[in-house]
Amino acid sequence: MIKGIKGVKDLLPTEAPRWGLIEAAARRWAGLYGYQEIRLPIFESTELFARSIGSTTDIVEKEMYTFPDRDGSSLTLRPEGTAGAVRSYVEHNLSASPLPQKLYYLGPMFRHERPQAGRLRQFHQFGVEFFGTAVPEADVDVIALLWRFLQDLKLPGLTLELNTLGDLADRPQYKAILRDFLVTRSARLCSNCLRRIESNPLRVLDCKVPECREASADAPRIVDHISDEARAHFAAVQSGLRALDIPFQLNPRLVRGLDYYTLTTFEVTCTHLGAQNAVGAGGRYDGLVEVLGGPKTPAIGFAVGIERIALLVPKEMTPAPDHRLYIAAFGAAATPIGLRLLHVLRAHGLHADMDYRATTLKAHLRQADRMTCAYTVILGDDEVAKGLVILRNMHSKEQEELPLATASESLLSRLPSRS
Ligand code: HAM
């Protein structure tokens, strides 16, 4: 037997309705907030991710599925959606539009991580990217969309954490200050963090190793080393969130694992998720469009992990299977008439089904129950001879007779169709 790949999951029919619910909510809320769908390629040139996410991040250093194309060029399965969205924005000159561009996407992403509950190698994101608006109202709008979408799905135990990374111009000075501090703690840092002091000191703040967290607990805070404009932006985002009654906590260590962020960063965590507790995250990335060859364009976005949300959506939110009518046609004369009836009812949008393997009434009724059908049409050769069908309420077991000639019309008038 050939098995699926570790950390790459099948979505079985038992789980699919829950995903359908999440994806429908994503599309509905993204649409309401003015986002348009963009479908982006699953693989891109490796250079795109290295340049945007950052060559010294965990994602680029350790987690990408990278492979040579036949011509020797290096390709990578997308580990996230922002880089591709920005590439597409630049390539198709979307900045020429007079409107701010608001794009959303749903789809698989790939990271070579150690699989565990809520952490996969192929996982799925719903993400949004809002290009062209620098003011803090845009940050509030994006965070409000994330919060509202998660509230709509009734996820329990959520916390919104907020931080600012300052402007790009603030970064070198803060990095230098942080580096000087970290050097004084180097004896207590893990080997990864030691390496990071030089290459990417901000990432040390995000290390999960308890000793490193302790050693850097009193590290200089970014917020104390940013420009007045950046501080005012952050204050405006906070007051905007308060005005919309969106609760948040400040987390000065929230630096994110991708290097493109500037100013506002945020993450929604859930107490019910264990170690992989981030449901979704995002932030501003005002320098990235330019880095990828476009005009200077402010931008902000977020992405959520569908697998993690699926673990949290309350059971009662999952739609029940919608099997309304079962056709129990059996016998040489009745079976073709039953098939025709099924054909007509479906054509009119009625959810109707039949198990072709069943040949007796008993077997049909058993299947109708298994399929949780609300009603069954019973049609044997006797009924055909009498010119009628029997409609059975599967719950009350009550039965009534309907004329065969007008069976489809009467069924359609009493059972609501879906279309
Ligand atoms: P990220 O924090 O890397 O951000 O990922 C966003 C979300 O994707 C996480 O909060 C988590 O729910 C989910 N996720 C990440 N890795 C895995 C995994 N291995 N298995 C399951 N779920 C996972 C980004 O990807 C940014 N592109 C977000 C963004 C958009 N920032 C601006 N715009």
Side-chain angles (χ1 to χ4, degrees), residues 216-394:
S216 63
D218 55 344
R221 298 183 324 157
I222 308 172
V223 69
D224 298 328
H225 299 275
I226 61 177
S227 66
D228 290 345
E229 291 79 14
R231 198 167 299 119
H233 185 99
F234 194 40
V237 173
Q238 293 177 53
S239 62
L241 291 174
R242 281 193 205 100
L244 299 185
D245 296 324
I246 297 174
F248 62 89
Q249 283 177 12
L250 296 181
N251 176 0
R253 300 178 76 103
L254 182 65
V255 293
R256 311 278 298 117
L258 306 102
D259 279 354
Y260 48 62
Y261 290 111
T262 53
L263 295 171
T264 316
T265 56
F266 51 90
E267 188 160 275
V268 176
T269 56
C270 176
T271 44
H272 305 270
L273 270 180
Q276 303 309 315
N277 66 353
V279 176
R284 218 168 234 296
Y285 50 94
D286 289 347
L288 186 57
V289 175
E290 218 175 359
V291 165
L292 294 181
K296 195 167 170 27
T297 309
I300 178 164
F302 71 74
V304 296
I306 307 280
E307 282 80 1
R308 294 188 190 173
I309 293 177
L311 288 171
L312 296 169
V313 172
K315 285 242 164 1
E316 60 276 13
M317 291 281 290
T318 310
D322 181 25
H323 284 296
R324 242 178 239 136
L325 182 68
Y326 185 93
I327 307 287
F330 52 101
T335 302
I337 298 174
L339 291 182
R340 164 110 201 126
L341 185 59
L342 189 60
H343 184 68
V344 171
L345 293 174
R346 284 172 170 169
H348 284 86
L350 200 78
H351 196 148
D353 212 343
M354 169 168 168
D355 186 340
Y356 302 119
R357 299 169 306 178
T359 51
T360 64
L361 178 58
K362 203 171 149 201
H364 274 303
L365 289 179
R366 199 166 44 225
Q367 283 307 74
D369 268 334
R370 283 186 185 139
M371 289 177 173
T372 62
C373 290
Y375 292 92
T376 295
V377 167
I378 299 173
L379 183 59
D381 288 351
D382 284 355
E383 284 73 30
V384 173
K386 290 188 211 152
L388 53 86
V389 301
I390 296 169
L391 180 63
R392 179 180 170 94
N393 180 322
M394 296 302 288

